[in-house]
Amino acid sequence: GGGITEEMGLEFVVINLSSRQVIEADFIERVQALLNKHRVDPGRIIFSLTEAATIANKSVLDREIDSLAKIGIRFLMNDYGKELFSIRTILPTFFEGVIIKAELLLNAENTSQNKIIIDNRIDIIKQMGKKLIVDGVNTPELMSYVSDIKADVSTIVGVKQKRSEERRVGKECRSR
């Protein structure tokens, strides 16, 4: 079973990390000790690293992430799209997907060049079979955009519209 996460009714827990935390000498041992102590299925833990963090100390970070992935820990890349495009940040197979801020999508609409860049990055992620998670969807327009780009998951906060419409769009976004 999933241990305490299952008992709490959680499918998974996302934990934000810095690259510095991951490359600490005893990080993997501490993670394993906590998983054992709290009876947590490693597959229910998702470590989230920023795109910038995946570039820092790359060889050490890759080795540590690989070790964690082997015990079942999952990974997402957070703040995707904020950094300059780097093929090195999208290639690691251990990343299950990316988290992109809804605000970034909205800001990209301001210029055609920014929109092209974001749209292409989203297309690359989808072509690689990675999950696309949009964080901070807070307007009906963003809900529509997230639905149009077929995000796998979205976090919806404070959207003011009819409840039934909010639930319908939210379910569609989360079910993809």
Side-chain angles (χ1 to χ4, degrees):
I4 195 168
T5 52
E6 189 174 295
E7 291 169 15
M8 294 175 71
L10 301 173
E11 287 183 45
F12 56 85
V13 176
V14 178
I15 301 168
N16 293 327
L17 295 176
S18 70
S19 60
R20 192 177 120 229
Q21 289 171 299
V22 177
I23 63 172
E24 288 177 0
D26 63 344
F27 182 73
I28 294 172
E29 292 78 18
R30 287 186 295 137
V31 168
Q32 287 178 315
L34 287 169
L35 291 173
N36 293 334
K37 177 180 177 182
H38 296 286
R39 301 175 292 112
V40 176
D41 172 0
R44 290 179 182 255
I45 300 297
I46 301 175
F47 284 154
S48 173
L49 292 155
T50 63
E51 186 175 4
T54 64
I55 299 169
N57 299 309
K58 184 141 178 57
S59 62
V60 175
L61 186 64
D62 285 355
R63 188 174 55 246
E64 296 295 301
I65 289 175
D66 185 56
S67 295
L68 290 164
K70 284 178 181 169
I71 63 170
I73 301 288
R74 298 159 57 195
F75 292 88
L76 289 171
M77 186 179 295
N78 200 351
D79 287 344
Y80 185 72
K82 284 181 71 176
E83 300 300 318
L84 293 174
F85 181 77
S86 169
I87 200 69
R88 287 174 29 153
T89 64
I90 61 170
L91 283 180
T93 57
F94 38 73
F95 281 97
E96 195 170 305
V98 299
I99 301 170
I100 189 168
K101 301 284 185 203
E103 178 182 307
L104 183 67
L105 297 174
L106 190 61
N107 291 339
E109 296 290 321
N110 294 333
T111 66
S112 61
Q113 190 173 22
N114 288 349
K115 181 160 178 27
I116 290 167
I117 291 168
I118 290 297
D119 288 348
N120 282 320
R121 291 188 81 173
I122 289 170
D123 287 343
I124 289 169
I125 291 306
K126 288 179 178 183
Q127 289 171 15
M128 293 177 70
K130 305 287 186 182
K131 290 183 180 156
L132 175 64
I133 299 166
V134 180
D135 183 33
V137 177
N138 59 6
T139 67
E141 294 79 20
L142 277 171
M143 286 181 78
S144 176
Y145 184 78
V146 166
S147 183
D148 290 346
I149 63 171
K150 295 177 176 55
D152 295 291
V153 178
S154 61
T155 58
I156 301 169
V157 291
V159 177
K160 293 181 181 177
Q161 65 176 184
K162 292 180 185 174
R163 284 280 189 217
S164 61
E165 176 68 7
E166 183 178 322
R167 276 189 230 116
R168 182 189 64 77
V169 174
K171 281 182 182 176
E172 286 177 17
C173 291
R174 285 188 295 273
S175 66
R176 294 202 165 112

